[in-house]
Amino acid sequence: TDPEQALSEKVCDAVSFSIAKSNGRIASAGLPEDQLAQACGQIEQQVKPVFASLGSGAVDGALQQMQSINAALGLTSEANATAYGEICVGMGYRTDDAEMALAGALVLTGANQLPYGELVGHHVREGFGVAAAPAAAQDWYAQSMTALEMGAPPAFEPSSTQERMSVIRGAIQIGGLQSGLVPQLPGIVPTSNQLVPLD
């Protein structure tokens, strides 16, 4: 009955899950954490131009932009883009860098990991690293929930996906929201805008 509280609880769950997933990715990446942090900073700067369009609710346009940005960064495989995206999301939350976390979530949606659109929805709804636009957040939530319903792998809490979808859909309705070359060896610093592959 309290949509703000329900969504806020889901944000907390997603943040905790993302930090744990990121820490696991960092441990297995084969690169120093400071180099990964540098890469996430690079990703953040490349993705920032997309932030201004998020308030319009034009999800498809943002996804097309992110596919181009991922390609420019050398994140051409879904596995590599997913690894970097998950690292940057968790690292951003762990260091209170909302823009880094949002950039990581957008990299993931651009790599067809559409359930991460939920995170974009949370950021847009709350004004977390981007201008608040609660109405526009609806499209990101809807895209994420639809992807899950069509069988996409869940981004958070796989054991409670159905409950998560029900809570988010219910909260939205009650709350009125409806109105170059990549180096192949780990440890080599990229000489262009492209990132060392993690897959």
Side-chain angles (χ1 to χ4, degrees):
T1 57
D2 185 339
E4 289 299 317
Q5 181 181 346
L7 289 173
S8 293
E9 287 177 357
K10 294 307 168 192
V11 173
C12 290
D13 292 343
V15 168
S16 297
F17 197 89
S18 295
I19 290 173
K21 187 182 285 187
S22 173
N23 288 342
R25 286 280 195 184
I26 290 168
S28 63
L31 295 174
E33 185 169 344
D34 60 347
Q35 187 173 337
L36 292 170
Q38 216 173 28
C40 287
Q42 180 182 340
I43 288 170
E44 181 182 337
Q45 291 307 309
Q46 293 294 315
V47 175
K48 267 187 178 180
V50 181
F51 289 5
S53 67
L54 298 180
S56 70
V59 174
D60 289 344
L63 293 179
Q64 289 177 354
Q65 283 182 280
M66 285 311 308
Q67 288 166 2
S68 297
I69 290 171
N70 282 0
L73 287 165
L75 303 177
T76 51
S77 79
E78 186 173 313
N80 201 34
T82 299
Y84 271 106
E86 290 179 348
I87 286 170
C88 297
V89 167
M91 190 175 286
Y93 288 139
R94 181 159 51 88
T95 61
D96 292 323
D97 188 336
E99 293 182 341
M100 180 181 289
L102 177 56
L106 285 166
V107 164
L108 287 155
T109 61
N112 205 38
Q113 299 292 320
L114 299 182
Y116 280 94
E118 178 193 329
L119 282 185
V120 181
H122 291 319
H123 279 255
V124 172
R125 180 180 67 89
E126 296 187 358
F128 192 40
V130 68
Q138 172 201 356
D139 291 339
W140 288 98
Y141 286 128
Q143 175 243 39
S144 172
M145 298 303 105
T146 299
L148 287 169
E149 288 166 354
M150 294 179 67
F156 324 105
E157 301 183 310
S159 62
S160 58
T161 299
Q162 292 300 323
E163 177 191 356
R164 186 177 195 85
M165 286 193 293
S166 297
V167 169
I168 291 175
R169 283 205 182 278
I172 292 169
Q173 291 168 359
I174 294 170
L177 290 182
Q178 291 189 346
S179 17
L181 291 180
V182 180
Q184 296 301 306
L185 296 175
I188 297 177
V189 178
T191 56
S192 68
N193 284 337
Q194 297 192 341
L195 301 171
V196 174
L198 298 180
D199 55 339

